Amino acid sequence: MVRLKDISIRNKLVAIQLITAFGALVICCSIFVYNSVRTFKSSSERKLYSIVRIIASNAVAPMQFMDNAAAASILAKLSNEPDIREATLLDKNGKVFASYTRSPDIRANRTLLDGKSASSTYLFNYAGSHLVINYKIYNQQELVGTLIIESELLYLKKIMTNTFVAALSVLIASLAFAVIISFFLQSTISNRLLLLVVKTKEVATTNNYAIRVSVDAKDEIGILSKEFNELLHRIEQMTKSLNDANADLEKRVQQRTAELESANKELESFSYTVSHDLKAPLRAINGFTDILVKKYAANIDDKGKEIANTIVSNAKKMGQLIEDLLQFSRIGRKEMEVENFSMDEVVDGVLKDVSEYYEGRNVVVNKTALPPASGDKSLFVQVWTNLISNAFKYTKHKEQAIITIGATSKQNENVYFIKDNGAGFDMKYVDKLFKVFQRLHGTEEFEGTGVGLAIVNRIVARHGGKVWAEAKVDEGATFYFSLPLSPVIGRTTADVGTPPPYSEKQ
Amino acid sequence: MTLSFNIGTMLGSVAPFVKKKCGRVFVAVSLLLVSLPTSSFRLEGSANSEYKLKAAFLYNFTQYFDWDIAGGDFVIGVLGSSPITDQLEQIAKIKTVKDKRIVIRQLESVGEIGACHILFVASSSSAPLSAVLEKAGRGTLTVCERNGYGARGAPINFIIVDNKLRFEANLKAINAAGLRASSQLLKLAIIVG
């Protein structure tokens, strides 16, 4: 079932025109038919009335002289009228004086109409398609008799049929004409509306706001078309300015990014070069101080030796610092080789190395099974080396160092942790923990350059994970890092300061 | 509106036909066309009803002849004694002719015949027709009621045909009396002479 609303305007217009035309025509035809029938009836009445009057005037004398044969012969003249079914002449007492029937099998109607007492001289009565007239015959103001004639209105049915057929023909012809005309006329409305619809669809699909509709009339559709064009013009302008602004913004972003990248590259290159170049003079300082202490030991007093040793130890520290810096820088630039690997294997390897380094320490390591991970295996060796080294390092004042390594699996990530019972730290400095050269303890107390946790942070961030820590002073610390199950490899938001992959050729 | 036949024309054409042919032929033709119930017109043999009818006919004749009745009354004379006189008196009481009073005169002999519009010669009268006609003169319609009188020169003569009252019209006699009968009347009459 199609709703009226959903029918296209073209069909609606045609329908409206047809319904209107049909209604008007039906009314016209009804009036036409009614009028024809009425005209026919009234003309039949007039004709019958004339006949009756002529017959009546001729019947006066026969009735006066009681000559019913003459009266009958007058009535018999009605045989020339095929409509007249029968006629009866009644005398003034209502008795039949003479009668006529068109064919012998018709029984003459000899009853007077109810209007006998009425003052009118004649009275019509319709009985179906029969018309009966009662005519009172007067002679010198004296009632002579009554003439009853029944006419069959033979043509009434024919005329009604003909009129009806004619009306129907007019109706059909007019409707056909109306259809043709409306198809031509409605094009002035619906075709233009359709054009608007087509253009609107075209604009919607192609986003081409340069499309325009021709405005050739000042009617409502013309106004609509004009406003449509105006709207499109405005959208076109807005789109253009928006695109311009967008392009400008894009350009600026690109420019800024390029500037930033170049600055970063320079900085990275600078720090790498500086670190690299610093190593040579440092080696010289180290080497020559060593020579000084060994070859010229006799000429230097104890105080001098002590100073020389301090120089060597500081130079070593500085070397370590430069080495760490280079490593930190390298991690940022290194191409990652992603693979699935066993975290257990990595941790076990690192534990073995670190334990050997700290041989003689009383350390208990509790390790549970760790879930495997996906990423650059060598970088995780680095991560665990730093974390386990820290755990050993910061528990050196404890008689019994306890290190716990484990992991928890969550819905979309694994969280690895390492817990110690070492020096710990104050949680209010936790923000500084993973930044380069930020140290919470003095180098005198715990050796180190302050780069290790920054490296851990950078590696985990490159794998899409996060690093955090919990601690209490003198009660130990727990370091956590998470790795997503579907790893996001590459640069992340946490990695923004990281320089882009750097070519070793430099 | 057109009529398939015109009664006026028809009457005009029938009238001369009637004049030329024998009246009996016309009656025969009329009877052939339609057979009528005649009971209501049958004379019952009663003299009263016969003369009542004859009186009514006499009165009706006044509409079909053109008398000059410029002044005075409309006079109907009855020659010889007849029940018609009483009947005519009855009519005279209630009817007029062209707004004139109807006066009935009982005449006993031809000599008494004066200025009458209609002179009814009763069957009881023994006066010779020629004498009556002569005495009646112009302007008087003489009506008789004896078989054969029509042919003998009475303008109108009542006869009984098939037990029904009819009348003969002698056109020559009517003309001789200086009167003119309407064609309507002549159609109903049996034309003689």
Side-chain angles (χ1 to χ4, degrees):
Chain A
M1 182 72 193
V2 184
R3 287 190 308 162
L4 186 67
K5 272 187 193 170
D6 299 337
I7 299 170
S8 84
I9 284 183
R10 175 197 289 266
N11 294 340
K12 249 184 245 176
L13 282 174
V14 172
I16 287 167
Q17 278 162 335
L18 287 191
I19 289 165
T20 310
F22 183 78
L25 283 169
V26 163
I27 291 168
C28 283
C29 289
S30 306
I31 291 170
F32 175 57
V33 169
Y34 172 77
N35 209 38
S36 296
V37 169
R38 220 186 56 168
T39 305
F40 174 76
K41 279 188 173 178
S42 89
S43 88
S44 297
E45 283 177 15
R46 279 205 308 276
K47 180 183 164 185
L48 196 57
Y49 183 61
S50 316
I51 292 171
V52 162
R53 279 182 59 178
I54 291 164
I55 296 283
S57 73
N58 283 294
V60 170
M63 290 190 81
Q64 277 182 325
F65 296 104
M66 305 287 180
D67 196 337
N68 38 33
S73 78
I74 286 167
L75 291 183
K77 300 293 175 193
L78 290 169
S79 63
N80 290 332
E81 288 288 307
D83 282 7
I84 308 289
R85 194 166 170 269
E86 51 151 291
T88 306
L89 197 54
L90 303 178
D91 64 14
K92 57 187 169 190
N93 300 318
K95 284 181 181 166
V96 174
F97 184 75
S99 70
Y100 156 82
T101 54
R102 202 175 63 230
S103 61
D105 52 316
I106 298 171
R107 232 190 86 226
N109 179 2
R110 282 151 195 180
T111 51
L112 285 168
L113 294 179
D114 290 340
K116 187 184 177 184
S117 58
S119 57
S120 61
T121 54
Y122 66 95
L123 200 76
F124 284 107
N125 181 43
Y126 283 98
S129 62
H130 291 216
L131 171 62
V132 180
I133 184 171
N134 272 21
Y135 184 83
K136 290 177 185 167
I137 306 168
Y138 286 90
N139 181 49
Q140 295 187 344
Q141 285 85 49
E142 193 183 340
L143 182 68
V144 178
T146 307
L147 182 60
I148 302 168
I149 292 186
E150 185 176 331
S151 174
E152 233 177 322
L153 302 182
L154 282 179
Y155 295 107
L156 182 62
K157 233 178 201 173
K158 207 174 161 190
I159 280 178
M160 277 180 79
T161 313
N162 285 350
T163 316
F164 190 73
V165 167
L168 207 66
S169 312
V170 166
L171 193 72
I172 291 164
S174 303
L175 277 183
F177 183 69
V179 168
I180 294 164
I181 290 293
S182 69
F183 263 109
F184 280 109
L185 288 185
Q186 58 97 24
S187 68
T188 62
I189 295 168
S190 63
N191 280 7
R192 289 158 65 214
L193 275 178
L194 281 179
L195 184 72
L196 261 178
V197 171
V198 166
K199 290 285 181 188
T200 309
K201 274 185 185 164
E202 198 182 330
V203 169
T205 50
T206 63
N207 286 335
N208 178 8
Y209 301 111
I211 289 169
R212 292 289 180 276
V213 182
S214 63
V215 180
D216 51 0
K218 286 180 180 174
D219 64 355
E220 286 84 346
I221 296 172
I223 292 166
L224 198 64
S225 304
K226 202 178 150 209
E227 293 303 317
F228 178 75
N229 285 345
E230 181 63 29
L231 220 61
L232 277 181
H233 177 70
R234 269 190 232 167
I235 292 172
E236 195 185 11
Q237 295 284 311
M238 274 163 66
T239 311
K240 194 169 171 287
S241 59
L242 217 64
N243 281 343
D244 286 354
N246 232 355
D248 188 43
L249 213 65
E250 188 69 26
K251 206 174 147 195
R252 275 159 65 189
V253 165
Q254 271 178 5
Q255 200 183 337
R256 291 287 147 82
T257 309
E259 279 171 18
L260 214 63
E261 275 176 2
S262 129
N264 250 328
K265 253 182 199 171
E266 271 172 34
L267 200 69
E268 188 73 21
S269 176
F270 171 75
S271 62
Y272 185 80
T273 311
V274 164
S275 311
H276 214 262
D277 290 356
L278 278 174
K279 276 168 101 179
L282 200 62
R283 262 199 305 272
I285 291 167
N286 224 358
F288 282 110
T289 312
D290 202 40
I291 290 167
L292 192 71
V293 171
K294 282 173 181 165
K295 278 198 175 175
Y296 302 95
N299 301 337
I300 303 166
D301 58 9
D302 286 351
K303 181 75 178 170
K305 277 177 191 168
E306 197 181 319
I307 290 168
N309 280 333
T310 306
I311 289 170
V312 168
S313 110
N314 274 303
K316 272 183 186 166
K317 250 185 218 169
M318 193 174 171
Q320 187 60 45
L321 196 63
I322 289 164
E323 203 53 49
D324 285 352
L325 262 178
L326 278 173
Q327 195 185 26
F328 181 74
S329 170
R330 232 180 271 126
I331 286 162
R333 294 178 290 118
K334 191 178 184 284
E335 290 282 358
M336 293 210 302
E337 289 161 24
V338 178
E339 58 177 325
N340 290 317
F341 62 91
S342 163
M343 199 61 98
D344 276 324
E345 219 170 83
V346 170
V347 172
D348 289 345
V350 172
L351 266 175
K352 193 172 166 252
D353 287 349
V354 176
S355 301
E356 276 171 14
Y357 183 79
Y358 288 102
E359 218 180 344
R361 284 272 311 275
N362 183 15
V363 175
V364 175
V365 177
N366 299 319
K367 180 184 160 288
T368 57
L370 302 174
S374 173
D376 193 318
K377 189 180 170 184
S378 64
L379 290 178
F380 280 97
V381 171
Q382 186 70 55
V383 166
W384 284 110
T385 303
N386 290 0
L387 290 174
I388 293 169
S389 298
N390 277 354
F392 272 82
K393 192 159 63 185
Y394 290 101
T395 53
K396 66 177 181 185
H397 298 307
K398 298 283 173 185
E399 281 181 20
Q400 176 69 63
I402 301 168
I403 295 169
T404 309
I405 296 169
T408 54
S409 289
K410 291 191 177 170
Q411 199 179 358
N412 48 12
E413 63 180 10
N414 289 324
V415 176
Y416 302 90
F417 67 88
I418 178 165
K419 186 179 173 180
D420 63 58
N421 60 344
F425 56 87
D426 192 338
M427 278 300 276
K428 66 182 173 184
Y429 303 117
V430 75
D431 287 347
K432 294 182 174 179
L433 206 59
F434 299 102
K435 291 185 177 160
V436 190
F437 303 132
Q438 299 288 334
R439 290 179 55 87
L440 304 183
H441 303 275
T443 23
E444 299 81 23
E445 198 178 356
F446 300 103
E447 71 280 10
T449 56
V451 180
L453 284 177
I455 288 169
V456 167
N457 185 27
R458 185 172 259 196
I459 290 169
V460 170
R462 279 193 78 177
H463 285 85
K466 258 174 74 183
V467 178
W468 68 99
E470 288 166 4
K472 251 182 173 178
V473 176
D474 285 334
E475 284 181 29
T478 310
F479 289 83
Y480 302 87
F481 70 91
S482 68
L483 287 176
L485 291 181
S486 47
V488 184
I489 307 299
R491 293 163 66 176
T492 66
T493 45
D495 202 22
V496 162
T498 320
Y502 193 78
S503 170
E504 281 289 339
K505 283 170 192 168
Q506 276 188 320
Chain B
M1 190 186 74
T2 54
L3 279 169
S4 57
F5 73 103
N6 185 311
I7 289 182
T9 315
M10 185 263 296
L11 291 175
S13 62
V14 167
F17 166 83
V18 172
K19 282 172 196 166
K20 282 173 194 164
K21 298 285 175 180
C22 174
R24 288 180 201 284
V25 174
F26 175 67
V27 173
V29 169
S30 301
L31 288 172
L32 272 174
L33 282 169
V34 181
S35 67
L36 278 172
T38 54
S39 58
S40 60
F41 299 94
R42 182 165 293 146
L43 299 171
E44 300 300 328
S46 146
N48 246 11
S49 68
E50 179 186 336
Y51 282 99
K52 192 176 180 182
L53 206 55
K54 281 179 176 171
F57 273 37
L58 277 188
Y59 172 72
N60 284 340
F61 285 150
T62 64
Q63 286 175 34
Y64 297 94
F65 289 91
D66 51 340
W67 283 281
D68 173 30
I69 38 171
D73 303 325
F74 188 85
V75 183
I76 300 176
V78 178
L79 183 61
S81 67
S82 167
I84 202 170
T85 310
D86 290 344
Q87 299 297 335
L88 285 172
E89 292 287 1
Q90 294 292 320
I91 291 170
K93 279 181 191 165
I94 52 167
K95 304 268 185 181
T96 58
V97 175
K98 292 178 185 167
D99 294 331
K100 305 294 181 191
R101 209 154 56 87
I102 300 171
V103 177
I104 313 297
R105 288 198 186 137
Q106 182 63 48
L107 309 170
E108 299 305 331
S109 65
V110 176
E112 288 176 32
I113 297 172
C116 304
H117 293 98
I118 293 177
L119 175 63
F120 181 75
V121 183
S123 55
S124 63
S125 170
S126 55
L129 179 63
S130 54
V132 173
L133 288 173
E134 196 182 329
K135 185 68 178 164
R138 292 181 73 82
T140 300
L141 179 67
T142 307
V143 179
C144 301
E145 52 169 350
R146 206 175 277 182
N147 283 354
Y149 266 39
R152 285 175 61 187
I156 299 290
N157 184 40
F158 285 124
I159 54 170
I160 306 294
V161 177
D162 293 336
N163 221 13
K164 283 177 68 185
L165 181 63
R166 302 293 307 274
F167 57 90
E168 295 174 328
N170 189 322
L171 298 178
K172 274 185 195 164
I174 292 168
N175 278 337
L179 294 169
R180 225 175 58 228
S182 93
S183 60
Q184 296 259 16
L185 183 78
L186 294 178
K187 268 199 298 176
L188 304 172
I190 299 163
I191 308 296
V192 294

mmCIF file of all heavy atoms in Angstrom, chain A residues 157-188:
data_model
loop_
_atom_site.group_PDB
_atom_site.id
_atom_site.type_symbol
_atom_site.label_atom_id
_atom_site.label_comp_id
_atom_site.label_asym_id
_atom_site.label_seq_id
_atom_site.Cartn_x
_atom_site.Cartn_y
_atom_site.Cartn_z
ATOM 1 N N LYS A 157 -36.991 5.948 -22.415
ATOM 2 C CA LYS A 157 -35.905 5.011 -22.132
ATOM 3 C C LYS A 157 -34.770 5.209 -23.118
ATOM 4 O O LYS A 157 -33.597 5.258 -22.749
ATOM 5 C CB LYS A 157 -36.430 3.579 -22.235
ATOM 6 C CG LYS A 157 -36.148 2.740 -21.001
ATOM 7 C CD LYS A 157 -36.742 1.376 -21.159
ATOM 8 C CE LYS A 157 -36.936 0.711 -19.808
ATOM 9 N NZ LYS A 157 -37.665 -0.540 -19.931
ATOM 10 N N LYS A 158 -35.184 5.359 -24.403
ATOM 11 C CA LYS A 158 -34.194 5.507 -25.467
ATOM 12 C C LYS A 158 -33.400 6.791 -25.256
ATOM 13 O O LYS A 158 -32.164 6.800 -25.334
ATOM 14 C CB LYS A 158 -34.913 5.548 -26.808
ATOM 15 C CG LYS A 158 -34.050 5.062 -27.952
ATOM 16 C CD LYS A 158 -34.869 4.987 -29.212
ATOM 17 C CE LYS A 158 -33.985 4.957 -30.426
ATOM 18 N NZ LYS A 158 -34.768 5.124 -31.657
ATOM 19 N N ILE A 159 -34.160 7.854 -24.927
ATOM 20 C CA ILE A 159 -33.504 9.146 -24.736
ATOM 21 C C ILE A 159 -32.583 9.085 -23.531
ATOM 22 O O ILE A 159 -31.442 9.556 -23.564
ATOM 23 C CB ILE A 159 -34.552 10.265 -24.585
ATOM 24 C CG1 ILE A 159 -35.048 10.638 -25.971
ATOM 25 C CG2 ILE A 159 -33.977 11.479 -23.859
ATOM 26 C CD1 ILE A 159 -36.113 11.692 -25.984
ATOM 27 N N MET A 160 -33.075 8.410 -22.464
ATOM 28 C CA MET A 160 -32.234 8.280 -21.270
ATOM 29 C C MET A 160 -30.967 7.503 -21.595
ATOM 30 O O MET A 160 -29.867 7.891 -21.205
ATOM 31 C CB MET A 160 -33.011 7.584 -20.150
ATOM 32 C CG MET A 160 -33.889 8.549 -19.379
ATOM 33 S SD MET A 160 -34.796 7.716 -18.077
ATOM 34 C CE MET A 160 -33.537 7.566 -16.831
ATOM 35 N N THR A 161 -31.136 6.390 -22.338
ATOM 36 C CA THR A 161 -29.969 5.591 -22.717
ATOM 37 C C THR A 161 -29.027 6.422 -23.576
ATOM 38 O O THR A 161 -27.816 6.456 -23.332
ATOM 39 C CB THR A 161 -30.420 4.338 -23.495
ATOM 40 O OG1 THR A 161 -31.485 3.739 -22.792
ATOM 41 C CG2 THR A 161 -29.280 3.366 -23.687
ATOM 42 N N ASN A 162 -29.620 7.102 -24.575
ATOM 43 C CA ASN A 162 -28.787 7.907 -25.476
ATOM 44 C C ASN A 162 -28.047 8.990 -24.712
ATOM 45 O O ASN A 162 -26.851 9.205 -24.911
ATOM 46 C CB ASN A 162 -29.660 8.555 -26.552
ATOM 47 C CG ASN A 162 -30.076 7.547 -27.598
ATOM 48 O OD1 ASN A 162 -29.565 6.421 -27.605
ATOM 49 N ND2 ASN A 162 -30.992 7.922 -28.465
ATOM 50 N N THR A 163 -28.798 9.665 -23.825
ATOM 51 C CA THR A 163 -28.188 10.742 -23.058
ATOM 52 C C THR A 163 -27.081 10.198 -22.180
ATOM 53 O O THR A 163 -26.005 10.790 -22.081
ATOM 54 C CB THR A 163 -29.248 11.424 -22.172
ATOM 55 O OG1 THR A 163 -30.414 11.613 -22.942
ATOM 56 C CG2 THR A 163 -28.745 12.750 -21.665
ATOM 57 N N PHE A 164 -27.374 9.035 -21.577
ATOM 58 C CA PHE A 164 -26.378 8.439 -20.693
ATOM 59 C C PHE A 164 -25.124 8.061 -21.471
ATOM 60 O O PHE A 164 -24.007 8.344 -21.037
ATOM 61 C CB PHE A 164 -26.983 7.204 -20.008
ATOM 62 C CG PHE A 164 -26.124 6.677 -18.902
ATOM 63 C CD1 PHE A 164 -26.017 7.362 -17.697
ATOM 64 C CD2 PHE A 164 -25.408 5.500 -19.067
ATOM 65 C CE1 PHE A 164 -25.218 6.881 -16.692
ATOM 66 C CE2 PHE A 164 -24.599 5.021 -18.058
ATOM 67 C CZ PHE A 164 -24.515 5.717 -16.868
ATOM 68 N N VAL A 165 -25.344 7.461 -22.654
ATOM 69 C CA VAL A 165 -24.201 7.083 -23.500
ATOM 70 C C VAL A 165 -23.430 8.331 -23.922
ATOM 71 O O VAL A 165 -22.201 8.371 -23.859
ATOM 72 C CB VAL A 165 -24.681 6.287 -24.739
ATOM 73 C CG1 VAL A 165 -23.575 6.177 -25.771
ATOM 74 C CG2 VAL A 165 -25.160 4.915 -24.325
ATOM 75 N N ALA A 166 -24.190 9.370 -24.286
ATOM 76 C CA ALA A 166 -23.546 10.615 -24.701
ATOM 77 C C ALA A 166 -22.743 11.196 -23.541
ATOM 78 O O ALA A 166 -21.581 11.597 -23.700
ATOM 79 C CB ALA A 166 -24.600 11.611 -25.163
ATOM 80 N N ALA A 167 -23.354 11.192 -22.347
ATOM 81 C CA ALA A 167 -22.677 11.735 -21.171
ATOM 82 C C ALA A 167 -21.412 10.940 -20.872
ATOM 83 O O ALA A 167 -20.357 11.504 -20.590
ATOM 84 C CB ALA A 167 -23.618 11.700 -19.976
ATOM 85 N N LEU A 168 -21.536 9.615 -20.998
ATOM 86 C CA LEU A 168 -20.389 8.749 -20.726
ATOM 87 C C LEU A 168 -19.279 9.012 -21.739
ATOM 88 O O LEU A 168 -18.099 9.098 -21.383
ATOM 89 C CB LEU A 168 -20.835 7.282 -20.789
ATOM 90 C CG LEU A 168 -20.012 6.311 -19.954
ATOM 91 C CD1 LEU A 168 -20.196 6.612 -18.477
ATOM 92 C CD2 LEU A 168 -20.404 4.892 -20.267
ATOM 93 N N SER A 169 -19.671 9.165 -23.008
ATOM 94 C CA SER A 169 -18.689 9.449 -24.052
ATOM 95 C C SER A 169 -17.986 10.767 -23.761
ATOM 96 O O SER A 169 -16.761 10.863 -23.839
ATOM 97 C CB SER A 169 -19.369 9.534 -25.417
ATOM 98 O OG SER A 169 -20.206 8.437 -25.597
ATOM 99 N N VAL A 170 -18.811 11.769 -23.397
ATOM 100 C CA VAL A 170 -18.231 13.083 -23.072
ATOM 101 C C VAL A 170 -17.265 12.935 -21.910
ATOM 102 O O VAL A 170 -16.153 13.459 -21.933
ATOM 103 C CB VAL A 170 -19.352 14.090 -22.732
ATOM 104 C CG1 VAL A 170 -18.781 15.330 -22.066
ATOM 105 C CG2 VAL A 170 -20.116 14.474 -23.985
ATOM 106 N N LEU A 171 -17.694 12.145 -20.908
ATOM 107 C CA LEU A 171 -16.866 11.943 -19.719
ATOM 108 C C LEU A 171 -15.524 11.320 -20.095
ATOM 109 O O LEU A 171 -14.464 11.815 -19.720
ATOM 110 C CB LEU A 171 -17.617 11.034 -18.739
ATOM 111 C CG LEU A 171 -17.073 10.955 -17.324
ATOM 112 C CD1 LEU A 171 -17.356 12.260 -16.607
ATOM 113 C CD2 LEU A 171 -17.722 9.822 -16.571
ATOM 114 N N ILE A 172 -15.600 10.240 -20.871
ATOM 115 C CA ILE A 172 -14.376 9.522 -21.234
ATOM 116 C C ILE A 172 -13.490 10.399 -22.114
ATOM 117 O O ILE A 172 -12.293 10.550 -21.864
ATOM 118 C CB ILE A 172 -14.717 8.189 -21.938
ATOM 119 C CG1 ILE A 172 -15.343 7.226 -20.936
ATOM 120 C CG2 ILE A 172 -13.483 7.575 -22.570
ATOM 121 C CD1 ILE A 172 -16.049 6.048 -21.562
ATOM 122 N N ALA A 173 -14.124 11.031 -23.127
ATOM 123 C CA ALA A 173 -13.342 11.872 -24.039
ATOM 124 C C ALA A 173 -12.703 13.022 -23.273
ATOM 125 O O ALA A 173 -11.517 13.320 -23.446
ATOM 126 C CB ALA A 173 -14.240 12.410 -25.140
ATOM 127 N N SER A 174 -13.483 13.636 -22.357
ATOM 128 C CA SER A 174 -12.954 14.766 -21.603
ATOM 129 C C SER A 174 -11.827 14.324 -20.694
ATOM 130 O O SER A 174 -10.818 15.020 -20.553
ATOM 131 C CB SER A 174 -14.065 15.400 -20.772
ATOM 132 O OG SER A 174 -15.109 15.782 -21.613
ATOM 133 N N LEU A 175 -12.011 13.140 -20.077
ATOM 134 C CA LEU A 175 -10.955 12.647 -19.183
ATOM 135 C C LEU A 175 -9.681 12.370 -19.970
ATOM 136 O O LEU A 175 -8.590 12.710 -19.535
ATOM 137 C CB LEU A 175 -11.419 11.381 -18.460
ATOM 138 C CG LEU A 175 -12.268 11.644 -17.221
ATOM 139 C CD1 LEU A 175 -12.603 10.327 -16.541
ATOM 140 C CD2 LEU A 175 -11.553 12.543 -16.250
ATOM 141 N N ALA A 176 -9.860 11.754 -21.153
ATOM 142 C CA ALA A 176 -8.693 11.482 -21.995
ATOM 143 C C ALA A 176 -8.011 12.789 -22.356
ATOM 144 O O ALA A 176 -6.781 12.921 -22.255
ATOM 145 C CB ALA A 176 -9.129 10.746 -23.252
ATOM 146 N N PHE A 177 -8.835 13.759 -22.720
ATOM 147 C CA PHE A 177 -8.303 15.064 -23.066
ATOM 148 C C PHE A 177 -7.584 15.671 -21.859
ATOM 149 O O PHE A 177 -6.476 16.206 -21.974
ATOM 150 C CB PHE A 177 -9.454 15.963 -23.520
ATOM 151 C CG PHE A 177 -9.018 17.321 -23.981
ATOM 152 C CD1 PHE A 177 -8.306 17.465 -25.166
ATOM 153 C CD2 PHE A 177 -9.318 18.443 -23.240
ATOM 154 C CE1 PHE A 177 -7.909 18.710 -25.583
ATOM 155 C CE2 PHE A 177 -8.915 19.695 -23.658
ATOM 156 C CZ PHE A 177 -8.203 19.835 -24.838
ATOM 157 N N ALA A 178 -8.243 15.538 -20.678
ATOM 158 C CA ALA A 178 -7.659 16.088 -19.451
ATOM 159 C C ALA A 178 -6.316 15.429 -19.150
ATOM 160 O O ALA A 178 -5.370 16.087 -18.726
ATOM 161 C CB ALA A 178 -8.618 15.896 -18.283
ATOM 162 N N VAL A 179 -6.240 14.104 -19.383
ATOM 163 C CA VAL A 179 -4.976 13.392 -19.137
ATOM 164 C C VAL A 179 -3.880 13.971 -20.029
ATOM 165 O O VAL A 179 -2.790 14.301 -19.559
ATOM 166 C CB VAL A 179 -5.149 11.879 -19.416
ATOM 167 C CG1 VAL A 179 -3.798 11.192 -19.441
ATOM 168 C CG2 VAL A 179 -6.029 11.254 -18.356
ATOM 169 N N ILE A 180 -4.213 14.124 -21.316
ATOM 170 C CA ILE A 180 -3.215 14.629 -22.265
ATOM 171 C C ILE A 180 -2.789 16.036 -21.868
ATOM 172 O O ILE A 180 -1.600 16.339 -21.728
ATOM 173 C CB ILE A 180 -3.783 14.606 -23.695
ATOM 174 C CG1 ILE A 180 -4.023 13.160 -24.135
ATOM 175 C CG2 ILE A 180 -2.845 15.305 -24.663
ATOM 176 C CD1 ILE A 180 -4.925 13.017 -25.338
ATOM 177 N N ILE A 181 -3.807 16.883 -21.624
ATOM 178 C CA ILE A 181 -3.514 18.273 -21.276
ATOM 179 C C ILE A 181 -2.699 18.336 -19.997
ATOM 180 O O ILE A 181 -1.699 19.048 -19.901
ATOM 181 C CB ILE A 181 -4.839 19.060 -21.107
ATOM 182 C CG1 ILE A 181 -5.514 19.242 -22.462
ATOM 183 C CG2 ILE A 181 -4.594 20.412 -20.451
ATOM 184 C CD1 ILE A 181 -4.789 20.130 -23.420
ATOM 185 N N SER A 182 -3.136 17.522 -18.989
ATOM 186 C CA SER A 182 -2.454 17.602 -17.700
ATOM 187 C C SER A 182 -1.013 17.133 -17.820
ATOM 188 O O SER A 182 -0.137 17.655 -17.152
ATOM 189 C CB SER A 182 -3.203 16.787 -16.654
ATOM 190 O OG SER A 182 -3.090 15.420 -16.939
ATOM 191 N N PHE A 183 -0.793 16.127 -18.726
ATOM 192 C CA PHE A 183 0.582 15.662 -18.893
ATOM 193 C C PHE A 183 1.459 16.772 -19.466
ATOM 194 O O PHE A 183 2.634 16.867 -19.147
ATOM 195 C CB PHE A 183 0.639 14.426 -19.791
ATOM 196 C CG PHE A 183 0.681 13.149 -18.996
ATOM 197 C CD1 PHE A 183 -0.408 12.296 -18.956
ATOM 198 C CD2 PHE A 183 1.806 12.827 -18.250
ATOM 199 C CE1 PHE A 183 -0.379 11.138 -18.211
ATOM 200 C CE2 PHE A 183 1.854 11.669 -17.500
ATOM 201 C CZ PHE A 183 0.750 10.833 -17.488
ATOM 202 N N PHE A 184 0.824 17.612 -20.313
ATOM 203 C CA PHE A 184 1.607 18.727 -20.859
ATOM 204 C C PHE A 184 1.773 19.824 -19.826
ATOM 205 O O PHE A 184 2.864 20.354 -19.629
ATOM 206 C CB PHE A 184 0.928 19.274 -22.115
ATOM 207 C CG PHE A 184 1.206 18.422 -23.334
ATOM 208 C CD1 PHE A 184 0.219 17.645 -23.911
ATOM 209 C CD2 PHE A 184 2.482 18.386 -23.886
ATOM 210 C CE1 PHE A 184 0.484 16.851 -25.011
ATOM 211 C CE2 PHE A 184 2.757 17.596 -24.987
ATOM 212 C CZ PHE A 184 1.763 16.832 -25.551
ATOM 213 N N LEU A 185 0.638 20.138 -19.150
ATOM 214 C CA LEU A 185 0.652 21.270 -18.225
ATOM 215 C C LEU A 185 1.483 20.973 -16.984
ATOM 216 O O LEU A 185 2.200 21.833 -16.498
ATOM 217 C CB LEU A 185 -0.770 21.646 -17.827
ATOM 218 C CG LEU A 185 -1.586 22.314 -18.930
ATOM 219 C CD1 LEU A 185 -2.928 22.749 -18.400
ATOM 220 C CD2 LEU A 185 -0.845 23.513 -19.508
ATOM 221 N N GLN A 186 1.342 19.730 -16.469
ATOM 222 C CA GLN A 186 2.051 19.434 -15.232
ATOM 223 C C GLN A 186 3.554 19.448 -15.411
ATOM 224 O O GLN A 186 4.290 19.581 -14.461
ATOM 225 C CB GLN A 186 1.589 18.099 -14.652
ATOM 226 C CG GLN A 186 1.749 16.906 -15.568
ATOM 227 C CD GLN A 186 3.013 16.137 -15.292
ATOM 228 O OE1 GLN A 186 3.528 16.192 -14.203
ATOM 229 N NE2 GLN A 186 3.516 15.455 -16.290
ATOM 230 N N SER A 187 3.988 19.331 -16.691
ATOM 231 C CA SER A 187 5.432 19.382 -16.928
ATOM 232 C C SER A 187 5.990 20.733 -16.510
ATOM 233 O O SER A 187 7.137 20.841 -16.113
ATOM 234 C CB SER A 187 5.726 19.108 -18.403
ATOM 235 O OG SER A 187 5.254 20.175 -19.184
ATOM 236 N N THR A 188 5.139 21.783 -16.581
ATOM 237 C CA THR A 188 5.626 23.103 -16.170
ATOM 238 C C THR A 188 5.887 23.130 -14.679
ATOM 239 O O THR A 188 6.614 23.976 -14.203
ATOM 240 C CB THR A 188 4.606 24.196 -16.520
ATOM 241 O OG1 THR A 188 3.409 23.942 -15.794
ATOM 242 C CG2 THR A 188 4.310 24.224 -18.008
#
